[in-house]
Amino acid sequence: MTKEAERITDLARRRERALTVEGARRRGEFGARERIERLVDKGSFTETGLFVRARAGGGEDRRPYGDGVVTGFGTVDGRRVCVFAQDSAVFGGSMGEAFGEKTVALMELALRTGCPVVGLNDGGGARIQEGVASLALYAELVRRNVQASGVIPQISVVLGPCAGGAAYSPAITDFTVMVDGASHMFVTGPDVIEAVTGERATAEELGGARTSNAVNGNAHFLAADEEDALDVVRALLAYLPANNLEPPPAYAPGDAPSGELLDSVVPDRLGQAYDMRTILRAVVDDGELLDVQELFAPNIVCALARVEGRSVGVVANQPLHAAGVLDIDASEKAARFVRFCDAFGIPLLTFADVPGYLSGVRQERGGIIRRGAKLLYAYAEATVPKVTVVVRKAYGGGYAVMGSKHLGADINLAWPSARIAVMGAEGAVGLLHRRELAAADDPEALRARLVAAYERTHGTPYLAAERGYVDAVIAPRDTRDHICRALAALHGKRAPLPQRRHGNIPL
């Protein structure tokens, strides 16, 4: 055998060993490379760092290749993407020094080439055997997450445990997908919490997929299984640009739903609820919405959609839940979504039906002023095209924050059913005419007359339109047409900002 043949044989032997995983897997679980192959286009994946070896784990022949993480690049629907997948069969998927260096190197490649990065997480946190080196690499990874924030889309998929320091990297990325019944994400596990505090909770209660999606808002999408989770990633990437310097992908315009039903969707009775998604689906292409954090703060809807084939970010109050009021969770949910869309050049489409910010002792003590201000800040900061439609109520601070002209919205529209005022008629009359009402022989009859008069004057969109705060009052059925025209006019919008390091959002 020639020297060259020997070298090729040695390469094949090393590749075979590197691709062989000896550890045990959970029942029904896909391997790291299987997960990547199921995500990317067939045959498109190129692995990096295949021969990187763990720093610890025994002698030269015992240290595993790859060190428990598979990294590389490929395409999804023909568009470039960098991917890493933690391998729970190697050291339980824990991060060692080589593991961390591979992941950091992939992040740097994604930044240099301007493509999204997808992380498939399934690991036990820092590798105890390697001590401070593993902790150092967690910090290095988080630093790359921060450098990439707003530059390239970052998507985390949690397919098993994601505990301790490992949980903070997904928290910094743009979107997190979790699998119902399989994913867990928390800083401290249930056993440690019980030992330290005496509090008992299962892993599912503490940081399971449903808890993370519906209770604490740590995750953005709840998947039924691993295949569904990867489908979510593919669907999400289809709305996003490769990086902040490229426009979002454009497709052939989808079907325009009939707008006639919009003329009757808002109930005549002011306090009666309706589903805001009925309106949204009648406006966007093919009636399709990709809901973000659908289970968390359901009183506000945040979704990605398309209008005439181009991506838009939709923010809308949801009257079906708490009358669409803005509370702490809704404000933070929407603020983060608005800032994401602004970072990646995705126009914002806002639908307002809001009674204002939620009042109450719990909200005040929870910081509604500071945390509610995040949404004000996000809208005022955003420079992408902003189009707002006031559907019904737009009261008080809720009017100002939900994409008002005063926060920099470009085109503001209102339906004839819109009520733009400091507060509702009942509350306003009770404050302004309390002495008259107290002295009246028939206070209820007087109240009814005063409420009717207030509604005629302030309970319409026309006072705001007179002042230029609303650009047009439109028939509901014409909403999509007006939005299409507005977005077309705003395409290529320029909005220079003063030089600064960054603003100081009220965190």
Side-chain angles (χ1 to χ4, degrees), residues 9 25 36 58 115 137 156 216 295 456 477 486:
T9 300
R25 300 196 184 284
I36 292 175
C115 74
L137 265 300
S156 297
N216 57 39
L295 302 180
R456 287 193 301 272
R477 69 174 63 193

Side-chain angles (χ1 to χ4, degrees), residues 67-68 86-88 90-97 99-100 121-131 133-135 137-138 141 160-168 170 184 186-187:
D67 199 26
Q86 299 172 355
D87 195 337
S88 61
V90 179
F91 294 124
S94 61
M95 179 183 281
E97 185 178 13
F99 178 126
N121 296 268
D122 185 4
R127 189 174 301 164
I128 298 172
Q129 301 95 310
E130 297 195 29
S134 62
L135 299 178
L137 265 300
Y138 268 125
L141 177 57
C162 186
Y168 285 108
H184 300 94
F186 40 69
V187 173

Side-chain angles (χ1 to χ4, degrees), residues 19-48:
L19 294 171
T20 300
V21 179
E22 299 177 355
R25 300 196 184 284
R26 293 185 292 272
R27 183 177 298 176
E29 180 190 65
F30 294 123
R33 290 185 179 85
E34 290 177 287
R35 286 167 168 168
I36 292 175
E37 292 294 345
R38 288 170 180 270
L39 171 65
V40 302
D41 299 334
K42 186 175 181 179
S44 71
F45 182 66
T46 299
E47 187 167 343
T48 60

Side-chain angles (χ1 to χ4, degrees), residues 48-79:
T48 60
L50 176 63
F51 295 122
V52 169
R53 302 185 79 167
R55 301 288 190 266
E60 180 69 19
D61 293 333
R62 297 297 302 167
R63 289 185 288 117
Y65 283 109
D67 199 26
V69 64
V70 179
T71 59
F73 53 88
T75 61
V76 173
D77 294 330
R79 302 171 67 216

Side-chain angles (χ1 to χ4, degrees), residues 186-418:
F186 40 69
V187 173
T188 309
D191 293 341
V192 176
I193 287 179
E194 184 176 357
V196 173
T197 69
E199 297 177 290
R200 293 185 179 182
T202 65
E204 190 65 33
E205 292 169 335
L206 195 62
R210 287 195 173 271
T211 298
S212 297
N213 272 269
V215 179
N216 57 39
N218 288 337
H220 301 82
F221 299 97
L222 178 67
D225 52 34
E226 290 196 11
E227 290 280 14
D228 187 35
L230 301 180
D231 285 342
V232 169
V233 173
R234 284 188 288 268
L236 183 55
L237 287 170
Y239 288 98
L240 309 182
N243 55 67
N244 65 327
L245 300 180
E246 294 185 10
Y251 300 88
D255 291 337
S258 172
E260 293 185 6
L261 67 87
L262 295 183
D263 288 343
S264 58
V265 71
V266 176
D268 291 332
R269 187 163 61 84
L270 186 61
Q272 187 174 342
Y274 64 92
D275 190 350
M276 179 62 80
R277 285 189 178 84
T278 302
I279 295 175
L280 304 181
R281 293 192 181 103
V283 170
V284 302
D285 289 5
D286 302 315
E288 292 182 354
L289 298 166
L290 181 60
D291 270 288
V292 177
Q293 290 187 299
E294 182 177 6
L295 302 180
F296 181 69
N299 40 318
I300 199 159
V301 175
C302 296
L304 290 163
R306 294 188 184 92
V307 174
E308 292 196 315
R310 296 182 181 275
S311 297
V312 294
V314 180
V315 180
N317 306 109
Q318 175 55 290
L320 281 183
H321 296 277
V325 72
L326 288 170
D327 58 8
I328 288 171
D329 287 345
S331 298
E332 293 185 334
K333 168 184 171 178
R336 181 165 170 81
F337 182 73
V338 166
R339 299 192 86 212
F340 171 82
C341 291
D342 186 51
F344 289 101
I346 300 172
L348 286 163
L349 184 55
T350 303
F351 286 79
D353 184 352
V354 57
Y357 279 99
L358 182 62
S359 60
V361 174
R362 180 176 295 180
Q363 289 287 304
E364 295 290 351
R365 288 181 174 176
I368 185 66
I369 295 174
R370 171 178 56 85
R371 298 164 75 179
K374 295 178 185 181
L375 187 53
L376 284 158
Y377 191 105
Y379 267 114
E381 175 189 48
T383 59
V384 292
K386 292 180 281 188
V387 179
T388 299
V389 181
V390 180
V391 174
R392 190 168 62 172
K393 301 184 298 295
Y395 293 155
Y399 158 72
V401 69
M402 288 299 295
S404 69
K405 183 76 75 173
H406 324 288
L407 288 183
D410 300 292
I411 301 293
N412 289 65
L413 309 168
W415 287 7
S417 54

